[in-house]
Amino acid sequence: MTTTDTGAGGLAPTTRKDWASDQEVRWCPGCGDYSILAAIQMLLPDLGARRENTVFLSGIGCAARFPYYMNTYGLHSIHGRAPAIATGLATTRPDLDVWVITGDGDALSIGGNHLIHALRRNVRMTILMFNNQIYGLTKGQYSPTSELAKVTKSTPFGSLDTPFNPISLALGAEATFVARTHDMDRQHMQETFRRAHDHDGAAFVEVYQNCNVFNDGAFEKITARDARAGMLIPLVHGEPLRFGAEREKGVVQRADGRLEIVDVADVGEDALLVHDERREDPGLAFALSRLSRGPLEPTPIGVFRCVERPEYGDAMARQVADAQERRGVGDLKALVRSGATWTVE
Amino acid sequence: MLHHRYTMTTTEHRDEHHRQLDRVVIRFAGDSGDGMQLTGDRFTASSALFGNDLSTFPDFPAEIRAPAGTLAGVSAFQVQISDHDILTPGDAPNVLVAMNPAALKANVGVLEKGATIVVNVDAFDERSLTKAGYAANPLTDGSLSAFALYEVPMTSMTQEVCKEAGVKPRDAERSKNFFALGLLSWLYNRPVDATVEWIQKRFADREMVREANTRAFRAGYHFGETAELFESTYEVQPAHFEPGEYTQVTGNQALAWGLIAASRLSGLPLFLGSYPITPASDILHELSRRKEFGVRTFQAEDEIAGIGSAIGAAFGGSLGVTTTSGPGVDLKSEALGLAVNLELPLVLVDIQRGGPSTGLPTKAEQADLLHAMYGRHGEAPLPIVAAKSPSHCFEAAIEAVRLAVKYRTPVILLSDGYLANGAEPWRLPDVDAFERIDPAFASGPNHVLDDGTEVFWPYVRDDATLARPWAPPGVPGLEHRIGGLEKADGSGNVSYDPANHEKMVRLRAAKVAGIVRDIPPVDVDDETGDAELLVLGWGSTYGAILAGVRRVRARGKRVAHAHLVHMHPFPANLGEVLARYRTVLVPEMNLGQLSRLVRAEYLVDARSMSKVQGVPFRAGEIEAAICSLLEDAR
């Protein structure tokens, strides 16, 4: 249900409450999803977005309930398919802001194929993948991002699968925008979401999100307020990669290409790797995505890659426009006569 | 001078031996790489231009190039041309053109007694004979004595005429199908210029190929004239058609054009989300070429994304269509259920092929009817429309779109491999005369809350159609959320209320069932009005059934025929029609799916007639079945 827009002309600035639907939010108390929802609802007025031109699409999972809580157009679809559905919408409606809300199971397990293809095609959509490294809605089975040997209801003796690294996967899928943020830092989320939203093409954001019921504290070692400085490596375009309470740590690239964390005092600032999100070659971004093996070690956070490539829907529209310019707008009578015809008197 | 006299002589010769036929069935057969589909297609096109009625049956293997010379690699194209209204590509060919021993072996069994066989004798060497499984050469061992056999050295003559143009023998060999086409064009007095022109156009940017094909075609034609091998040529006069402008179409072509027409009639931009699959891919190909109609085609990463993207496009206010076949239909089931729940317009085109699983990719079957009816979990009814002939695919597509848009529902449009690739003459419809399709997008609030606030509710239904409003994004005040979870009647909010769920299940079913008021009654073709047997058919069996029925009537017997286009819901009068006949025969290319449905729906003792061989019914089979039932009834 939706109340009608009462704003005269519909172009009055919006506030956070304009973006909240009248539906009761039903995530578990304490779920990281709440802070992501709040971050989005507070960011959208700031972006100057219009509710009528905004669509939230999702698949299945806890994260997938997100569209019900947004007072925008929304489609809660089927497991893993949101990027495919969003592709049909975004390519036919370039005027819309299309957001895809997904989770680690939805995006990387059942929907892995759609995710990688939406990314390589560079369809205009902002994909926020809430990664809690667990299946929440089905009550606690391991997910494709769960750490190896994870003990869950479906893996009482420990999981056998090597997890996906979502950032590496997105980079490997030719994504043009790849970023990571976490649910404990609203400001960082908003800044990352803003960058993703402004990107002209497919933007992929991994959001470390705590599932306090089935996988509590999975990211605590790096996202807890007092741990962040020493465990999160901020990616700032054009800046040397430094972190630590005193910015005493840094990242260097060794002669063999490997990245390594060092004490800045040992190597000097000039030896540090300078972050370049616009490099055409994704090699360095990929190396950064491999710097930590999981959220227990110092982990890069921010925008890994942001490059320009023609957007898919625009290219599709251009082919239509070109054809119409070259041949004129299609004539049905001529179409059915495009083969040989003959007349019977 | 000598040459001139010689020509004169041949002309006289031809005049003496110039026979009129009312119809002829020709089967071109060769290796998959021999270009038999192209040859048959071209022969058909020139016959269409000449004014014959015709019906075609391309019959090819799933493999692009099975091992050359083997039975598995044989590709055939059958065409019937006639001077009168015909309905099928013919039961038993009168003429077989066999480019190699395997093509002969694979097809000799279906020929009419005394049929003409033209072989490319160059291909009958020992190695090819062995590959085809011949212990002895059938051309010399007397096994073909019941046929009129003509041995023509097609390969060597093609190579000979191409040599002067500097074409290497190996390349020239590839043009031998045009030699065969030329020969048959002479034998059946087909117009020549149109084919020569076509070759110039088709191979415009490949000079050597163009030259080789033209030379081969002319050589084949002249060989017929000069070789005095054939006793006579044949002529099939133009058929009597209703006045009008005609073209020749295949089912997939007509279907693609129907979708474009429906896009025009509705003002909805067409979006096709599709994954390549035989025999549906040609619709994707055809639509991809027609971007000037505002058509967007999207070759998706898989079948699921094909329908998923179409649903997304429909949500955005486009005409969302997905095309598929066989296993692709299975893969789309989940998304189809979503579309049923979302109540968005969508058309799923299923070009049925032999199953289960990969089955027979290039062969026709009608075994997806029950899947279309019931192949989703939960109560998920949707309308089903079935095309009955290649040209009928045009209107069937428009009808599917009309129902989808008006009732906000996914519709399954059934065609099959036989309709998809088969061609027939089509009297061009007046495209301006088709009824407009009104998308009737929601434009404002449709509900008043208790406190007097006007709101938009996505599941408020139209009283007459029970359709919900379609409100693509972009309109302020109509923001709404829909999804696969059960929704509360009216507001569309997520609801787990037991009574609401049953209400919604019943509403969705009632909406689809109510379409019965919006579709025409089924026509019964019962000439005398007192037939005791009704043949009930659907889909591509139309031609064979009607031809069979005509043959039975020609024997002085009475029989009625009804053919369904709307498979769900059935036309309102179907029960009453079935009750009028003592015997109901239902021929289907499955194990009795329609017969099961009508038995369940109308408690009628419908007799199933099944054929699941990947090839269409022959008129003779239908005729025999009807006659046998009529005998039994005595």
Side-chain angles (χ1 to χ4, degrees):
Chain A
M1 189 194 77
T2 305
T3 50
T4 52
D5 202 334
T6 47
L11 289 173
T14 58
T15 63
R16 176 184 177 178
K17 75 173 184 354
D18 289 323
W19 293 87
S21 77
D22 60 352
Q23 295 297 292
E24 189 188 347
V25 184
R26 291 188 192 169
W27 289 311
C28 305
C31 176
D33 289 357
Y34 283 94
S35 64
I36 307 174
L37 179 65
I40 290 279
Q41 288 175 342
M42 289 159 79
L43 172 69
L44 287 169
D46 224 32
L47 294 177
R50 305 302 308 169
R51 293 196 294 118
E52 66 272 19
N53 290 333
T54 304
V55 182
F56 280 85
L57 282 158
S58 63
I60 293 294
C62 294
R65 300 299 175 94
F66 199 96
Y68 289 120
Y69 309 136
M70 295 298 299
N71 190 6
T72 62
Y73 286 88
L75 209 170
H76 174 219
S77 74
I78 43 178
H79 210 5
R81 317 302 172 202
I85 295 171
T87 296
L89 179 63
T91 52
T92 52
R93 292 292 304 272
D95 56 319
L96 302 177
D97 262 353
V98 177
W99 298 77
V100 171
I101 307 296
T102 181
D104 41 317
D106 193 56
L108 302 181
S109 201
I110 192 166
N113 198 31
H114 308 303
L115 177 74
I116 58 177
H117 288 276
L119 292 177
R120 64 138 175 137
R121 289 190 185 108
N122 202 34
V123 184
R124 193 178 287 116
M125 64 176 83
T126 312
I127 303 171
L128 309 185
M129 190 195 81
F130 301 1
N131 182 8
N132 55 19
Q133 302 190 343
I134 198 79
Y135 279 76
L137 198 66
T138 50
K139 301 190 175 66
Q141 301 81 7
Y142 76 114
S143 92
T145 55
S146 295
E147 65 278 14
L148 192 62
K150 188 166 190 74
V151 173
T152 70
K153 276 184 208 160
S154 61
T155 49
F157 304 106
S159 63
L160 305 172
D161 335 14
T162 299
F164 264 135
N165 177 326
I167 301 291
S168 299
L169 182 78
L171 290 166
E174 309 291 347
T176 53
F177 184 97
V178 181
R180 175 188 286 143
T181 184
H182 69 94
D183 63 0
M184 297 292 283
D185 186 342
R186 176 175 300 156
Q187 206 188 338
H188 190 270
M189 274 194 285
Q190 289 186 334
E191 187 44 37
T192 309
F193 296 161
R194 178 198 302 277
R195 291 279 320 274
H197 171 266
D198 291 347
H199 179 68
D200 198 20
F204 177 80
V205 182
E206 177 187 26
V207 188
Y208 281 158
Q209 173 247 323
N210 190 43
C211 172
N212 58 320
V213 174
F214 295 108
N215 202 18
D216 196 22
F219 306 101
E220 203 171 8
K221 275 213 157 63
I222 60 169
T223 63
R225 197 166 289 277
D226 54 358
R228 287 178 207 165
M231 294 297 271
L232 293 178
I233 308 170
L235 301 172
V236 182
H237 180 67
E239 298 286 323
L241 291 159
R242 282 185 82 152
F243 65 108
E246 310 290 330
R247 304 189 74 230
E248 72 281 11
K249 300 277 189 189
V251 178
V252 295
Q253 185 170 29
R254 296 301 184 196
D256 63 0
R258 223 164 13 100
L259 300 190
E260 204 173 290
I261 292 169
V262 293
D263 288 324
V264 179
D266 294 345
V267 298
E269 173 150 31
D270 290 350
L272 297 182
L273 183 65
V274 174
H275 184 48
D276 181 3
E277 64 187 31
R278 294 184 199 138
R279 274 171 75 119
E280 205 43 54
D281 172 13
L284 208 50
F286 191 82
L288 274 170
S289 77
R290 319 295 292 177
L291 190 57
S292 107
R293 284 159 299 173
L296 305 171
E297 304 174 350
T299 299
I301 195 129
V303 179
F304 286 75
R305 173 172 169 82
C306 176
V307 297
E308 281 178 32
R309 189 173 350 123
E311 196 276 328
Y312 189 79
D314 288 349
M316 200 186 250
R318 212 170 305 122
Q319 284 195 340
V320 169
D322 284 352
Q324 292 183 332
E325 188 164 322
R326 232 180 21 253
R327 305 178 198 160
V329 174
D331 173 2
L332 212 49
K333 287 183 181 153
L335 174 69
V336 295
R337 287 166 179 79
S338 54
T341 62
W342 65 97
T343 302
V344 175
E345 302 291 336
Chain B
M1 200 58 190
L2 188 67
H3 178 76
H4 185 230
R5 272 183 56 203
Y6 183 76
T7 312
M8 290 287 287
T9 324
T10 17
T11 311
E12 282 162 24
H13 178 77
R14 278 183 63 192
D15 283 341
E16 274 166 39
H17 299 274
H18 199 69
R19 294 208 206 143
Q20 295 284 333
L21 298 173
D22 63 346
R23 65 192 173 96
V24 64
V25 179
I26 303 172
R27 197 166 168 91
F28 296 90
D31 233 12
S32 296
D34 281 346
M36 288 298 99
Q37 301 303 321
L38 195 70
T39 309
D41 207 46
R42 204 42 237 168
F43 188 83
T44 305
S46 61
S47 299
L49 284 175
F50 184 68
N52 297 126
D53 196 4
L54 56 91
S55 174
T56 72
F57 176 40
D59 186 13
F60 47 86
E63 293 74 20
I64 302 301
R65 296 276 168 95
T70 63
L71 289 176
V74 173
S75 172
F77 187 102
Q78 184 169 319
V79 55
Q80 172 162 221
I81 55 176
S82 82
D83 66 1
H84 59 280
D85 166 28
I86 47 157
L87 301 152
T88 74
D91 287 5
N94 315 111
V95 182
L96 171 68
V97 178
M99 300 304 283
N100 66 10
L104 175 65
K105 189 162 195 193
N107 291 290
V108 72
V110 299
L111 299 180
E112 145 191 272
K113 223 175 154 185
T116 297
I117 299 176
V118 184
V119 297
N120 173 19
V121 68
D122 290 333
F124 282 69
D125 54 41
E126 203 166 307
R127 199 161 151 262
S128 305
L129 288 164
T130 312
K131 257 195 205 167
Y134 276 119
N137 189 342
L139 306 183
T140 53
D141 71 357
S143 61
L144 300 176
S145 56
F147 301 100
L149 177 67
Y150 296 96
E151 299 176 31
V152 183
M154 300 188 197
T155 309
S156 48
M157 294 187 68
T158 301
Q159 286 168 334
E160 189 61 34
V161 295
C162 289
K163 202 161 44 177
E164 301 154 28
V167 182
K168 290 189 200 106
R170 221 188 135 75
D171 294 333
E173 193 263 341
R174 303 236 286 276
S175 295
K176 64 181 183 298
N177 57 325
F178 281 90
F179 185 95
L181 179 63
L183 180 57
L184 270 283
S185 296
W186 171 79
L187 194 56
Y188 288 94
N189 283 282
R190 299 293 93 183
V192 171
D193 293 349
T195 297
V196 172
E197 261 170 45
W198 176 86
I199 294 173
Q200 307 313 309
K201 240 192 237 170
R202 164 96 185 217
F203 302 101
D205 47 4
R206 283 180 289 168
E207 198 195 330
M208 277 307 213
V209 180
R210 184 175 69 229
E211 188 58 25
N213 288 343
T214 311
R215 282 169 175 264
F217 175 72
R218 289 194 191 282
Y221 195 90
H222 293 143
F223 175 81
E225 257 178 358
T226 55
E228 299 193 9
L229 187 62
F230 296 90
E231 288 162 18
S232 54
T233 69
Y234 301 92
E235 192 156 22
V236 180
Q237 288 294 323
H240 292 287
F241 284 102
E242 261 184 80
E245 196 179 358
Y246 285 78
T247 192
Q248 175 202 331
V249 277
T250 65
N252 274 351
Q253 210 171 19
L255 203 154
W257 293 353
L259 291 172
I260 291 175
S263 161
R264 273 296 158 83
L265 292 169
S266 61
L268 298 169
L270 178 57
F271 177 92
L272 175 74
S274 183
Y275 187 75
I277 189 165
T278 303
S281 303
D282 280 341
I283 302 172
L284 169 63
H285 303 160
E286 178 64 22
L287 289 175
S288 310
R289 298 171 56 207
R290 306 295 183 184
K291 295 195 192 303
E292 68 271 26
F293 287 88
V295 178
R296 281 174 169 76
T297 53
F298 172 61
Q299 182 175 315
E301 58 270 24
D302 58 27
E303 295 281 357
I304 298 169
I307 185 170
S309 60
I311 289 173
F315 182 71
S318 284
L319 174 55
V321 177
T322 188
T323 48
T324 191
S325 178
V329 187
D330 301 351
L331 283 165
K332 293 186 197 293
S333 299
E334 187 198 14
L336 204 54
L338 174 68
V340 168
N341 218 24
L342 295 178
E343 301 191 44
L344 280 173
L346 183 82
V347 174
L348 183 153
V349 178
D350 174 7
I351 310 295
Q352 299 166 93
R353 69 187 218 190
S357 190
T358 310
L360 301 171
T362 58
K363 309 293 178 189
E365 202 160 280
Q366 296 182 294
D368 294 357
L369 178 59
L370 292 182
H371 184 104
M373 277 294 287
Y374 302 120
R376 292 161 296 283
H377 72 277
E379 296 285 354
L382 47 74
I384 304 166
V385 175
K388 63 180 182 183
S389 74
S391 65
H392 182 248
C393 289
F394 183 81
E395 324 175 12
I398 295 174
E399 175 65 357
V401 171
R402 181 184 77 87
L403 295 178
V405 171
K406 183 165 177 185
Y407 293 89
R408 320 301 201 204
T409 175
V411 174
I412 293 183
L413 171 56
L414 295 174
S415 169
D416 65 33
Y418 172 51
L419 295 181
N421 294 316
E424 66 178 358
W426 179 38
R427 188 157 80 104
L428 296 178
D430 177 3
V431 290
D432 295 330
F434 281 91
E435 204 181 317
R436 305 272 133 194
I437 298 169
D438 181 9
F441 290 132
S443 56
N446 59 358
H447 184 77
V448 183
L449 296 179
D450 291 343
D451 67 2
T453 321
E454 288 194 323
V455 294
F456 174 71
W457 273 14
Y459 280 79
V460 171
R461 291 173 193 280
D462 179 86
D463 290 338
T465 61
L466 295 182
R468 76 172 191 90
W470 186 10
V475 183
L478 302 192
E479 293 87 359
H480 65 280
R481 275 70 53 196
I482 57 177
L485 284 168
E486 185 59 281
K487 288 161 290 285
D489 180 29
S491 74
N493 288 328
V494 175
S495 168
Y496 301 109
D497 174 50
N500 176 75
H501 175 56
E502 178 156 348
K503 185 176 187 191
M504 291 298 276
V505 165
R506 290 184 184 281
L507 275 169
R508 286 186 287 262
K511 178 179 82 168
V512 173
I515 291 173
V516 71
R517 294 188 294 272
D518 199 11
I519 59 175
V522 63
D523 268 337
V524 184
D525 167 22
D526 185 353
E527 276 187 332
T528 50
D530 59 353
E532 291 188 345
L533 187 150
L534 172 78
V535 186
L536 179 69
W538 69 282
S540 70
T541 53
Y542 177 74
I545 292 177
L546 188 49
V549 162
R550 283 183 187 172
R551 289 190 195 182
V552 172
R553 286 178 183 157
R555 293 176 176 214
K557 295 176 182 171
R558 296 183 299 270
V559 58
H561 174 211
H563 214 79
L564 292 171
V565 170
H566 292 94
M567 308 307 296
H568 189 233
F570 285 134
N573 65 334
L574 183 59
E576 177 265 317
V577 164
L578 295 175
R580 282 208 306 259
Y581 296 90
R582 191 157 75 184
T583 312
V584 175
L585 175 67
V586 188
E588 293 178 88
M589 294 163 67
N590 59 43
L591 290 183
Q593 301 196 2
L594 173 62
S595 68
R596 202 166 294 213
L597 288 177
V598 294
R599 289 174 79 101
E601 189 73 23
Y602 303 109
L603 293 175
V604 58
D605 185 18
R607 310 284 184 87
S608 171
M609 175 187 183
S610 282
K611 183 177 184 182
V612 272
Q613 300 174 6
V615 290
F617 279 106
R618 291 192 302 245
E621 292 169 334
I622 305 281
E623 177 191 10
I626 297 170
C627 289
S628 146
L629 277 175
L630 288 175
E631 288 298 319
D632 288 352
R634 268 165 218 286

